[in-house]
């Protein structure tokens, strides 16, 4: 196998994909939120057809799907691989001008004309990348490794599987829009994507294997007041803003995102708006453990009831809880091979597996909740959503290798 040939193809694919401006637009009502995502989807459709995949389709929401039937009778199960087309709205993804640094010598890297730089002083992980080929930005945009590295890795794995005639199970591919704005999964054709399990290739450093994420809900709390001229307000005015401030004092002070890490949950006051007559607070509720997640929701409801009883308000405070997403582990643990096969594949590739709980949600969490277990695998990238985003070509090669190994294992 000519590994240099595939390494070059991997690099060229990646560099070409990041030339598409696929930034998603916040507050969009439907997918794709930007035309660039459809352009990239159409291009990938052509490439998948050229690679010999079947049932290659792009729906009107820019979801690309494709199928590669197994070439061994013993490998009759189906594994899906998923990556997203869009880039983050947090940083421009237009006119990305990647720079390739061969044999990184260590030390600072000046980006573009040098107004921005990345340094191992701020990013100690850069020490591990000495000697590698790095791809960085020119300091004006993000790179788009999140998640075009995932797409390039899946595509290159398919190319190797096909050209080298490697043994593989049934494979399903999906490239999806608008992951960054949490919209794309609404349009995912799950019924046409039957898999035993799937992986998103959307993680960070080499070795990351993620299958636990937050349970998430939002509590919206509404306060009603009574406005009276301040000169005559005594015993008459009810200030909704003051009520909201008092209400917030009832929350545990240390259970907030800025004071928690790892598997600790929190309440996060993310929105506070109002005037004398009306006010509202929005809290994000997050916890890995389902039981303590339920307790957190109950806490907000109980505190609302207690607050109402204490204040004796004419119009009581109202609290509504909206569910967001669930910890995928609840579903993934029912298909332990989704984890064990990925671990074995990484082991074969000489990679140390890094288990990290995701302090957020992923498209895989959404799919898991719908019944398709979907852990997340590394891409090899760092500093996503930023001008300082970078990736190593060798890390990307590792992801390709892991994919080609995963599809070789028999399902028990
Ligand atoms: Zn991503």
């Amino acid at each position: 196998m000519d590994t240099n040939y595939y390494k070059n193809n991997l690099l060229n694919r990646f560099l070409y994909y990041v030339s598409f401006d696929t930034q998603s637009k916040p507050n969009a009502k439907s997918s794709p939120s930007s035309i660039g995502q459809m352009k990239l989807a159409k291009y990938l459709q052509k490439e998948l057809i050229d690679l010999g995949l079947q049932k290659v389709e792009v729906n009107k929401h820019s979801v690309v799907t494709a199928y590669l039937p197994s070439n061994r009778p013993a490998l009759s199960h189906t594994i899906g691989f998923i990556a997203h087309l869009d880039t983050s709205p947090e940083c421009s993804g237009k006119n990305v001008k990647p720079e390739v640094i061969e044999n990184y010598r260590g030390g600072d890297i000046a980006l573009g004309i040098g107004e921005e730089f990345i340094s191992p002083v701020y990013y100690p992980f850069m020490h591990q990348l000495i000697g590698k080929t790095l791809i960085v930005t020119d300091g004006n945009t993000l790179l788009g490794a999140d998640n075009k590295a995932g797409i390039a890795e899946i595509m290159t794995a398919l190319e190797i599987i096909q050209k080298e005639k490697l043994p593989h199970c049934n494979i399903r591919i999906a490239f999806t829009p608008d992951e960054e704005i949490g919209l794309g999964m609404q349009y995912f054709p799950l019924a046409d994507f039957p898999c035993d399990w799937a992986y998103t290739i959307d993680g960070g450093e080499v070795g990351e294997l993620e299958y636990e994420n937050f349970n998430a809900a939002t509590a919206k709390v509404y306060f009603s007041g009574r406005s009276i001229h301040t000169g005559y307000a005594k015993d008459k005015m009810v200030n909704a803003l003051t009520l909201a401030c008092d209400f917030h004092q009832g929350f545990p002070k240390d259970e907030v995102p800025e004071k928690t890490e790892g598997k600790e949950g929190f309440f996060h006051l993310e929105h506070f708006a109002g005037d004398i007559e009306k006010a509202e607070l929005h809290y994000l509720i997050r916890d890995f453990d389902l039981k303590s997640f339920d307790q957190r929701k109950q806490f907000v409801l109980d505190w609302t009831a207690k607050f109402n009883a204490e204040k004796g308000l004419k119009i009581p405070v109202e609290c509504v809880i909206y569910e967001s997403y669930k910890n995928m582990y609840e579903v993934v643990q029912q298909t332990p091979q989704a984890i064990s096969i990925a671990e074995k594949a990484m082991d074969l590739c000489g990679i140390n597996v890094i288990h990290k709980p995701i302090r957020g949600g992923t498209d895989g969490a959404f799919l898991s909740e719908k019944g398709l277990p979907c852990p997340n695998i590394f891409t090899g990238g760092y500093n996503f959503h930023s001008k300082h985003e970078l990736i190593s070509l060798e890390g990307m090669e590792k992801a390709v290798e892991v994919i080609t190994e995963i599809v070789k294992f028999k399902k028990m």
Side-chain angles (χ1 to χ4, degrees), residues 96-108:
V96 173
K97 295 195 183 73
E99 292 178 24
V100 180
I101 299 165
E102 284 180 35
N103 191 12
Y104 168 57
R105 298 295 178 91
D108 295 0

Side-chain angles (χ1 to χ4, degrees), residues 209-226:
L209 174 61
E210 300 167 318
Y211 47 82
E212 289 180 89
N213 60 280
F214 272 143
N215 294 294
T218 302
K220 295 190 177 176
V221 192
Y222 303 94
F223 303 85
S224 300
R226 193 189 320 123

Side-chain angles (χ1 to χ4, degrees), residues 272-297:
F272 188 142
D275 51 29
I276 313 300
E277 293 265 328
K278 293 234 169 292
E280 65 184 85
L281 303 180
H282 299 177
Y283 290 93
L284 302 185
I285 303 172
R286 300 287 186 266
D287 211 299
F288 283 92
D289 181 73
L290 194 56
K291 206 171 140 214
S292 46
F293 175 63
D294 289 338
Q295 284 168 352
R296 284 184 189 280
K297 288 186 289 183

